[in-house]
Amino acid sequence: AVRALDNGLARTPPMGWLHWERFLCGTDCGTDPRRCVSERLFVEMADVMVAEGWRDVGYEFICIDDCWMAPTRDEQGRLQADPKRFPSGIRKLADYVHSKGLKLGIYSDVGNKTCAGFPGSYNHYDLDAQTFASWGVDLLKFDGCNSDTLELLAEGYRRMSLALNKTGRSIVYSCEWPFYLRPMKQPNYTEIKQYCNHWRNFFDVYDSWSSIKSILDWTALHQDSIVKIAGPGGWNDPDMASAFVFLSQLVIGNFGLSWDQAVTQMAMWAIMAAPLFMSNDLRHISPEAKWLLQNKEVIAINQDPLGKQGYQITKDKNFELWERPLSGQAYAVAVLNRQEIGGPRNFTFPLTFLGNGLACNPACSVWQVLPASRDCGVYSWVSSLSMEVNPTGTVLLKV
């Protein structure tokens, strides 16, 4: 089979910032210019990403989601930016973002209209791809609303992939294809990976613990079909759309997660090799949230060049044990306490659980990454490890 995409991009999970979960569509630029979706918002975020070290730890994309468009196409049939929100146009914004050493992402939809009712790309795939390339766009998030049939949906995702490739510009292609397919049909992930750099499997991530839990449950339930397909060039996106994850959106730094739950999201997104797209206000973020999102040890696990996605090994008494194979024969290990009452609890497990018994054979060193960095010592193959974990928290280890 010809790899239709093979654009050489997304060798590790993409990282960046996305407006959706935090800024949505609704705010009026006249009444609240600092919080509306506009070129000002993206310019300010780009400035902060450089000044506050986000770019330097790997967050390189700054992504526009729905509601950037004018309600109609121009006389030549091309998409155009809303002149009130983006008076200088997208090309000018892309140039500014590039001048900061960052990349610009944009949003469109496979159907007749976007999810918010703006013009979709149906019957305009080549033209829209050319438009985005001419503007200097580096990533396209391609949603799946308002497509009449599953056949048209699949055909649209394939056609946009080929259209992007034909432009000759390197544009990361983020699909929502399996999410819109799944209620009716089991996705063919082998085919989807031929066309897309990452793809969304599940509902928008919300700024809530219940949303994070449901994503983890769904991922564990379907890991036999999704883990093996992930790798350099193509990634499972817990959610790119809305929350912390589904572009794998990170909602850390917002309002709905406790500290332990934020640690859990960061740790588990690293284990799942998920794209790391923050949806928060980087202009107003706590030092703790910044420390967590910029943690180089966690990011190194997420970005590990081996490119294997992690999976759940076992569940026991409201604890979950996950592992992710890393380069250099190492493993990332997450111990998640799903209990939501009481205090910290201990979870003890034999090291033979890890890496099919090979991770600690004949011995291994264990380093704790989250919630704080510390050396846990050296263990033999027959040892057990005991970890104290807060309710809804996670201990992330490198073995």
Side-chain angles (χ1 to χ4, degrees):
V2 179
R3 266 184 68 83
L5 181 71
D6 209 8
N7 57 12
L9 302 175
R11 308 316 291 170
T12 60
M15 296 173 61
W17 180 90
L18 178 72
H19 91 239
W20 185 253
E21 193 277 340
R22 179 63 185 268
F23 292 94
L24 303 173
C25 274
T27 312
D28 181 280
C29 291
T31 56
D32 200 349
R34 279 183 66 76
R35 284 203 280 265
C36 78
V37 175
S38 68
E39 63 184 44
R40 173 180 172 174
L41 179 71
F42 294 97
V43 164
E44 290 185 4
M45 288 302 164
D47 290 345
V48 172
M49 283 175 76
V50 175
E52 298 289 328
W54 300 97
R55 179 192 65 187
D56 296 339
V57 295
Y59 294 97
E60 63 173 348
F61 289 96
I62 183 158
C63 296
I64 305 169
D65 208 281
D66 208 344
C67 309
W68 65 269
M69 298 173 196
T72 57
R73 291 174 176 266
D74 71 10
E75 295 78 42
Q76 284 82 45
R78 291 178 304 215
L79 292 172
Q80 49 186 349
D82 181 321
K84 286 202 184 73
R85 292 178 183 269
F86 295 89
S88 312
I90 303 298
R91 173 82 230 193
K92 210 56 174 291
L93 179 60
D95 289 345
Y96 185 80
V97 166
H98 294 154
S99 78
K100 295 285 178 179
L102 297 165
K103 296 177 178 176
L104 186 70
I106 207 161
Y107 169 98
S108 187
D109 191 283
V110 72
N112 295 304
K113 288 194 160 80
T114 71
C115 299
F118 293 89
S121 288
Y122 178 67
N123 271 342
H124 296 86
Y125 301 118
D126 284 303
L127 179 61
D128 290 357
Q130 287 157 14
T131 301
F132 298 145
S134 75
W135 288 344
V137 164
D138 305 291
L139 178 150
L140 173 64
K141 175 182 167 185
F142 208 42
D143 218 333
C145 285
N146 303 307
S147 197
D148 292 339
T149 66
L150 291 184
E151 286 67 37
L152 285 172
L153 179 89
E155 185 196 351
Y157 275 108
R158 290 185 206 109
R159 285 185 55 187
M160 184 53 94
S161 178
L162 299 170
L164 291 171
N165 250 14
K166 222 164 26 182
T167 67
R169 182 169 179 80
S170 295
I171 300 176
V172 172
Y173 186 36
S174 168
C175 301
E176 314 261 314
W177 187 353
F179 171 70
Y180 286 93
L181 210 54
R182 200 172 262 285
M184 286 72 81
K185 196 175 173 188
Q186 173 66 27
N188 176 350
Y189 285 103
T190 307
E191 181 189 26
I192 289 167
K193 188 171 182 175
Q194 285 180 344
Y195 292 98
C196 304
N197 291 122
H198 49 100
W199 47 86
R200 176 175 163 202
N201 289 312
F202 195 63
F203 295 104
D204 279 5
V205 63
Y206 282 80
D207 187 10
S208 76
W209 176 235
S210 61
S211 176
I212 303 297
K213 281 192 301 188
S214 65
I215 288 168
L216 295 176
D217 288 343
W218 187 93
T219 302
L221 185 65
H222 295 92
Q223 63 185 21
D224 290 349
S225 64
I226 66 172
V227 165
K228 58 179 182 263
I229 199 68
W235 307 96
N236 289 298
D237 193 342
D239 166 36
M240 167 166 182
S242 322
F244 166 165
V245 177
F246 255 14
L247 203 168
S248 298
Q249 261 159 269
L250 293 165
V251 287
I252 295 164
N254 287 331
F255 310 99
L257 300 182
S258 72
W259 174 248
D260 286 296
Q261 292 159 3
V263 167
T264 291
Q265 190 187 15
M266 193 69 185
M268 297 310 298
W269 267 224
I271 289 282
M272 294 188 290
L276 297 182
F277 281 82
M278 306 176 289
S279 189
N280 51 19
D281 191 342
L282 295 174
R283 299 166 302 189
H284 307 284
I285 188 167
S286 71
E288 296 79 16
K290 181 180 174 184
W291 174 86
L292 180 58
L293 287 163
Q294 291 193 3
N295 187 301
K296 289 179 180 169
E297 292 179 276
V298 187
I299 290 170
I301 291 171
N302 176 268
Q303 298 287 299
D304 186 78
L306 188 63
K308 286 196 181 300
Q309 179 171 336
Y311 40 83
Q312 188 187 92
I313 310 174
T314 188
K315 282 170 82 163
D316 182 32
K317 300 188 184 73
N318 268 343
F319 278 102
E320 296 178 15
L321 186 65
W322 295 63
E323 74 174 10
R324 177 182 174 187
L326 303 175
S327 47
Q329 271 117 30
Y331 286 82
V333 178
V335 184
L336 167 59
N337 179 2
R338 288 287 293 261
Q339 193 152 299
E340 298 183 25
I341 193 169
R345 294 188 304 145
N346 274 323
F347 181 68
T348 304
F349 61 96
L351 289 169
T352 50
F353 275 19
L354 305 179
N356 289 323
L358 301 176
C360 285
N361 189 3
C364 59
S365 63
V366 178
W367 181 265
Q368 181 180 296
V369 176
L370 289 176
S373 195
R374 69 183 178 98
D375 188 351
C376 300
V378 175
Y379 294 82
S380 78
W381 183 69
V382 293
S383 308
S384 286
L385 197 58
S386 190
M387 285 291 143
E388 184 179 87
V389 194
N390 292 345
T392 70
T394 296
V395 170
L396 179 64
L397 307 167
K398 188 173 176 187
V399 175

